[in-house]
Amino acid sequence: MTAGAFAERFLHYLRYTRGLELADAGPADHVAALALAVREALVDRAVASRKAWTEFQAKTVHYLSMEYLLGRLLINNLIATGLLEPAREAMQSLGLNLDTIADEEIDPGLGNGGLGRLAACFLDSLATLNYPAYGYGLRYEYGMFRQELRDGWQVERPDRWLKGGYAWEIQRPDLTVPVKVGGRVEWRQGRHGKNRPVWVDWRVLYGVPHDVLIAGYGTPNVSVLRLWAAEAPREFDFQIFSQGDFLRAVAERERTEAITRVLYPADYVAAGRRLRLLQEYLLVAASVHDVVSRFRLRYGEAWELFPTKVAFQLNDTHPALTIVELMRFFLDDAELRWAQAWDLTRASCSYTNHTLLPEALETWPVALMESVIPRHVQIIYEINRRMLDEVGSANPRDLDRLERLSLVHEDGEKRFRMANLAIAGSHRINGVAKLHTELLRTRVARDFAELWPERFVAITNGITPRRWLLSCNPRLADLVTSRIGEGWERDLDRLSELAHLADEAEFQQRFMAVKRENKGDLVESIRTLCGIAVDPGSMFDVQIKRLHEYKRQLLNAMHIIALYRRIKDDPSRAVTPRTFIFGAKAAPSYHMAKLVIRLINGIAAIVNSDPDVGGRLKVAFLPDYRVTLAEQIIPAADLSEQISTAGWEASGTGNMKLALNGALTIGTLDGANIEIRDAVGEDNIFIFGLTAEQGAVLTISGHYDPWSYYRADPELAAIIDTLRKGTFTPGDESASHEIWSVLMEHGDRYLHLADFRSYVEAQSRVGALYPDQRAWAAKAIRNVAAMGWFSSDRAIRRYVEEIWHLDQVKIGAGEA
Ligand code: 26W
């Protein structure tokens, strides 16, 4: 397509969707018209994709996730469709600037963190690799809150991301599906004289699909992300209106439609609230209905084919009710017998675990579930009874084991254990890194792994190189292409061809020049966002991820305090200038996480303005961390902080994004860090701290005593003392004191003191290396060269081989 044709299309959409001529249009109009102009190409591709998938009767994967963090789509979609240059020229010819417009696009924050971003990377890879795929999720009206900082404290503001309309979504009212809730189960005589359970007195609500098309790169194949919005039924209104109870009718509608009003802004802690259960159930029931309807259109009632045509992937336990809803459908609607229903269900479902944190494992009170989905409760009990019968008859005496396997937690208020349900109803269960899968097998799901070892697989996470290099770091992407040619975007292993350039002086210089320019851009953003002036020549030391105690932003803060104290001790000592960059949202109810934000901002205020420091250390906490901000920070990072307590970070994916963009990692032997070390080699990464095994031994033995580290290490003791006194949170001393108390009076669950010395030593090695820019560049280049394996294309191929068994589909119409 020519720039001229693109410009015309753009003007067309300005005029006929916004009612505007160019002269009267504002930034929001520009974004919308541009999106619609590109969307045309996506729709053509989606139509062709659907046709091909149907024609080949291809097995399709359905990725079910409560969260998707798509990020902005304009530049990505322009790149994927080959329209970037025409669009750039077109905008220029109209006196506009593409990048300025692109900067106005909102970032749909329909997720919390890693799990949601992984889902988005996977849809990109599925499309790019020509697999037929649907993502299913919820269209929250309010996404992740906007984070502001006031006096160093996090303040949450609502994210009304839909207020100006969202040009990428296509509402599909024609595909609205009914979802039943409430009521009770009665036993009635069925057609064959047998007593059968009948779900009665339910009320209905509707799921209205909104599709977002996810373009494959260099192929016409498109993934469909279908997001459900809750809608109250119209019939219901008439009934109540006619009884004159107008107010009640409106209030009831309101309550129903509130189901998809807001994303739960907390991860690593299960909410246990009715609204959340309704959200999870809506996602599951609407999606299963949709998938089953499509199956029926193509294959009628040939249910025996179901697992050969349909795969459901459960993104953590949040959609685990899929298993129960499928059972309900096969038993009650398709009238299959239990054994067949169960075989079909298990053969089509599989479950990915994303965390081992006990407080993040979902359990639902049976009583609550009964009031929302009484028929499902019966089915879960029956699944449990049959499973325990089977296990118990083989092993009658091991009652403890039966208790651990049970889907029902019986002690106190009865609760369903969703992880047990997800495992029992899946033919494959996967962890998201090697270590994580091992810990899943041997700790959290040990009894299940002993029963069904062949069902557990390790599939290490990956990231899409299209967003996380090609589009977010065009300078580095161009440099890479200039040396190894195009094609790495779809075959990231080709980055290994850069390895031999690691010691080439000219390439090193170019590589560092790119990094320097990216840092220059970030310097500007930091000035605008935080009002802090930072030196682009300093080392950019970056920790960006959700704020959680196990991720140990606090350990990072303790290191900054160490460096600051050393300077105060001897202002003339030589230090490697560093800029510490943080981005992190705390769950609104996570008190300790909010205290850590306050502490980091307190350190920033003191360190940044101390004349003794003389600008050699700067601390910047960038507000409102989200995909868009990640895309600005990552290309500019020198050092990647991956310092979780070993055994707790399932995988991490920021670690991969930063290494791919040429940052060196300082990290523990946790999650995918271990595999990153194996890939880049020990000399090209800074590893420190206790292993998961050592940490577990220390914790479980009950011998861990933070005070023993305090007494043995005067520098550490002095830092801990500053926390007790509130040195770095003047005016809010108690905030810092509470942090101190969690470490020193409540056992330091995440082993900050145990790992402190080892961390500081590793940081000294980092600080010593950085001034040798050639040596640094060589290691950074080796990191980039070794990151090919961490492409989400590799991860998706593994899911296909190990779990889904899909065939690639060639799309007929539309240009590649
Ligand atoms: C029920 C509340 C809740 C919500 C979300 C609990 C837990 C979660 C997620 C499982 C948290 C999460 O995002 N986990 C992250 O998943 C990434 C993708 O696999 C991993 O890379 C991270 O290590 C893991 O913390």
Side-chain angles (χ1 to χ4, degrees), residues 630-694:
E631 287 170 314
Q632 295 170 26
I633 297 170
I634 289 169
D638 292 307
L639 185 66
S640 161
E641 299 271 354
Q642 307 301 336
I643 61 177
S644 52
T645 315
W648 290 117
E649 189 68 272
S651 161
T653 47
N655 46 5
M656 304 168 189
K657 292 161 197 166
L658 284 154
L660 179 62
N661 284 273
L664 300 192
T665 301
I666 183 165
T668 48
L669 288 174
D670 200 13
N673 296 352
I674 299 175
E675 289 149 87
I676 291 175
R677 178 203 58 180
D678 294 345
V680 305
E682 284 199 282
D683 292 344
N684 300 305
I685 189 167
F686 299 91
I687 296 292
F688 72 93
L690 298 175
T691 62
E693 193 55 45
Q694 292 166 337

Side-chain angles (χ1 to χ4, degrees), residues 58 93 128 185 209 356 414 544 567 585 611 641 705:
S93 73
T128 299
V185 181
L356 305 176
K414 274 197 196 170
I544 43 175
I567 290 178
K585 285 178 182 172
E641 299 271 354
D705 176 13

Side-chain angles (χ1 to χ4, degrees), residues 470-701:
L470 184 60
S471 114
C472 79
N473 196 346
R475 294 187 183 104
L476 183 56
D478 284 348
L479 177 62
V480 168
T481 303
S482 76
R483 288 308 184 104
I484 69 172
E486 288 178 351
W488 55 267
E489 313 90 331
R490 295 188 59 168
D491 179 8
L492 203 63
D493 290 326
R494 288 203 40 222
L495 289 183
S496 64
E497 295 167 30
L498 294 171
H500 76 281
L501 299 172
D503 296 310
E504 187 193 284
E506 195 205 308
F507 189 73
Q508 290 175 347
Q509 267 165 23
R510 295 213 172 168
F511 183 89
M512 292 310 268
V514 163
K515 184 60 81 180
R516 182 62 176 252
E517 283 186 73
N518 291 341
K519 288 166 79 171
D521 290 351
L522 185 59
V523 166
E524 286 314 308
S525 302
I526 295 176
R527 191 196 308 282
T528 328
L529 290 171
C530 317
I532 300 171
V534 309
D535 170 12
S538 65
M539 181 205 309
F540 280 17
D541 179 338
V542 170
Q543 189 170 19
I544 43 175
K545 50 186 78 247
R546 280 302 284 262
L547 215 140
H548 198 289
E549 287 164 278
Y550 87 78
K551 295 176 185 282
R552 294 199 297 196
Q553 281 91 353
L554 177 55
L555 184 60
N556 188 343
M558 287 163 65
H559 171 243
I560 303 173
I561 297 176
L563 293 185
Y564 176 66
R565 288 187 70 262
R566 290 178 190 179
I567 290 178
K568 293 303 280 181
D569 238 34
D570 172 13
S572 71
R573 79 185 273 146
V575 293
T576 302
R578 289 206 202 207
T579 302
F580 294 92
I581 295 165
F582 290 90
K585 285 178 182 172
S589 61
Y590 192 171
H591 181 62
M592 177 67 178
K594 290 179 144 180
L595 296 178
V596 172
I597 291 179
R598 174 66 187 90
L599 174 66
I600 292 168
N601 284 315
I603 297 170
I606 290 173
V607 169
N608 293 351
S609 63
D610 190 324
D612 285 345
V613 175
R616 288 173 293 173
L617 304 180
K618 283 280 168 76
V619 182
F621 194 111
L622 308 203
D624 204 31
Y625 180 62
R626 62 198 187 284
V627 171
T628 296
L629 200 49
E631 287 170 314
Q632 295 170 26
I633 297 170
I634 289 169
D638 292 307
L639 185 66
S640 161
E641 299 271 354
Q642 307 301 336
I643 61 177
S644 52
T645 315
W648 290 117
E649 189 68 272
S651 161
T653 47
N655 46 5
M656 304 168 189
K657 292 161 197 166
L658 284 154
L660 179 62
N661 284 273
L664 300 192
T665 301
I666 183 165
T668 48
L669 288 174
D670 200 13
N673 296 352
I674 299 175
E675 289 149 87
I676 291 175
R677 178 203 58 180
D678 294 345
V680 305
E682 284 199 282
D683 292 344
N684 300 305
I685 189 167
F686 299 91
I687 296 292
F688 72 93
L690 298 175
T691 62
E693 193 55 45
Q694 292 166 337
V697 169
L698 197 58
T699 314
I700 294 163
S701 68

